[in-house]
Amino acid sequence: MRTPKLRHLAGLTAVLVIELAQLPGAHAAPVDQAATRHVVQPGESIQAAVDAAVPGDTIEIRPGTYRENIQITTDRLTLVGAGESTVLSPAEKPSANACGEAGHGICVTGTAEDPVSDVRIASLKVTGFPKNGIWGSGTDRMTVRNTTTEANGQQGMGQEMSTRGTFVDNVSRDNKQSGVFLANTIDAEGGATDALGTLVAGNRLSGNRTGVVVRRLRDLSVEGNTITANCAGVFIVGDESTPRAGDLNVRHNSVYENNAYCAATDRLPFIQGAGIVLTGAEGTRVTGNQVNDNVGTSPMSGGIVLYTSVVGAPNTKNAISRNVMSGNQPADLADRDNGPDNTFTDNVCELSAPTGRC
């Protein structure tokens, strides 16, 4: 006897959900139909499974070595391996897709206007590609977790023209450029873009040119990473363009012995012994980091260094606070551009340049 009433209530609920979804600013959550798990065994194609997948599906890659380039353009796709025993490396002939043509290992590709969203990459090793190991371009909420990128020709992992990325608990080592590289765009000039809370946390970054590079971005955090044996630990890169790069958090990282030597380029002097470097940044908070034993003779050598950007833009309105530094040379804390309105509070160090910064 109660069935008609329950059906009536169910109908009212459905109407209410529809009406709420139609309110200004409301967004209906995507609903995936019966998500499928595609299992890829050694000798099979990961790309074939990706091409067969629909939003919400998972590609499970069993232990083994897979030689191909993976191109992802589907929302809400999960690519997961079995840890470092699942290895992606180049084939003798690159895959016939955009990722293969670019020389990257895994590509997640959309556009700034129509980003690929909610792609998750986890628990595999990406090694030996001529360009980037894992690269997102035009993505939203791309997540890379528990993954190793090693010995790639440029960046270990990173993104451009993207928002709300998450790079957590990864290992990125011995890549020719950065362990993690994040930028507004790699092939055009312009002001900083809003990364909408992108997070780089809990990673182990070693043997790269630079552990983390953040270039022309705002609203992003680099926190709780262990960064060592690179030429430089963290680079925050800005310039005179507006909006200015900045409004970032660099906090609670362990940055030590980044003493490898990297030769000069057409834009930068040689790099060695650089812990955390800010160039042309605005409103960045460098807080609670342990920065030790970064030693070199480059203009950017030292523990925490403020240095004029390549186009001469000073750092401004940055807050350097509660960091603990020792054994860095030529200084633990070096303000080498004397930009306006930077503050230095409650830092513990042995030597600053100029004196009085700690």
Side-chain angles (χ1 to χ4, degrees):
M1 298 297 293
R2 295 182 179 179
T3 301
K5 182 179 289 186
L6 290 174
R7 287 177 178 169
H8 177 66
L9 289 173
L12 288 175
T13 301
V15 170
L16 180 59
V17 169
I18 292 170
E19 289 179 345
L20 286 172
Q22 293 173 342
L23 289 173
H27 299 278
V31 178
D32 296 317
Q33 303 297 321
T36 300
R37 180 174 291 267
H38 307 258
V39 179
V40 182
Q41 304 281 359
E44 298 178 344
S45 168
I46 301 170
Q47 187 66 55
V50 170
D51 292 343
V54 299
D57 284 3
T58 294
I59 314 297
E60 180 182 326
I61 312 168
R62 293 292 172 82
T65 298
Y66 301 81
R67 299 188 180 278
E68 56 184 310
N69 311 80
I70 309 303
Q71 180 70 62
I72 299 173
T73 58
T74 302
D75 293 341
R76 302 191 301 283
L77 205 65
T78 296
L79 194 72
V80 59
E84 289 202 355
S85 61
T86 300
V87 179
L88 183 67
S89 62
E92 184 175 338
K93 181 179 180 181
S95 302
N97 57 33
C99 200
E101 292 175 2
H104 307 320
I106 299 174
C107 301
V108 184
T109 309
T111 66
E113 296 76 22
D114 185 19
V116 174
S117 63
D118 295 289
V119 170
R120 296 173 175 83
I121 299 167
S123 301
L124 67 159
K125 182 176 181 178
V126 184
T127 182
F129 288 91
K131 296 293 183 64
N132 304 333
I134 299 172
W135 187 243
S137 181
T139 69
D140 182 48
R141 296 190 180 95
M142 184 178 80
T143 296
V144 182
R145 185 184 298 270
N146 294 325
T147 289
T148 296
T149 52
E150 179 180 59
N152 296 289
Q154 290 187 352
Q155 324 301 343
M157 62 183 71
Q159 65 182 28
E160 63 157 348
M161 297 189 301
S162 297
T163 54
R164 291 181 281 197
T166 301
F167 299 83
V168 175
D169 297 334
N170 302 291
V171 173
S172 195
R173 61 191 176 217
D174 301 330
N175 301 287
K176 294 297 184 183
Q177 293 295 326
S178 307
V180 179
F181 182 86
L182 307 169
N184 57 349
T185 179
I186 60 170
D187 57 7
E189 297 295 327
T193 56
D194 195 331
L196 299 180
T198 289
L199 176 65
V200 179
N203 303 287
R204 289 174 289 159
L205 310 171
S206 63
N208 311 287
R209 181 180 176 87
T210 307
V212 180
V213 172
V214 179
R215 193 179 79 183
R216 298 177 184 165
L217 289 173
R218 299 181 68 82
D219 191 10
L220 182 148
S221 292
V222 177
E223 58 186 57
N225 302 283
T226 300
I227 306 172
T228 187
N230 310 282
C231 300
V234 179
F235 251 76
I236 306 300
V237 181
D239 58 25
E240 83 284 8
S241 300
T242 55
R244 292 284 301 273
D247 191 22
L248 310 171
N249 294 302
V250 181
R251 58 194 178 198
H252 308 308
N253 300 284
S254 177
V255 184
Y256 64 96
E257 295 179 4
N258 291 283
N259 298 331
Y261 176 91
C262 289
T265 69
D266 57 352
R267 293 177 64 84
L268 291 173
F270 80 91
I271 302 172
Q272 183 185 38
I276 299 172
V277 180
L278 276 62
T279 70
E282 176 186 78
T284 291
R285 297 161 291 277
V286 181
T287 309
N289 300 281
Q290 295 275 344
V291 186
N292 306 107
D293 302 318
N294 300 282
V295 176
T297 58
S298 164
M300 290 174 282
S301 296
I304 297 176
V305 179
L306 278 65
Y307 191 78
T308 305
S309 80
V310 68
V311 295
N315 294 284
T316 180
K317 300 178 182 178
N318 301 288
I320 317 300
S321 64
R322 301 193 299 280
N323 302 283
V324 177
M325 298 158 281
S326 67
N328 303 286
Q329 295 181 16
D332 291 317
L333 180 52
D335 182 6
R336 297 199 175 116
D337 71 356
N338 294 304
D341 301 319
N342 299 302
T343 60
F344 304 85
T345 57
D346 299 326
N347 297 291
V348 177
C349 70
E350 298 167 353
L351 177 65
S352 71
T355 59
R357 294 290 191 260
C358 57

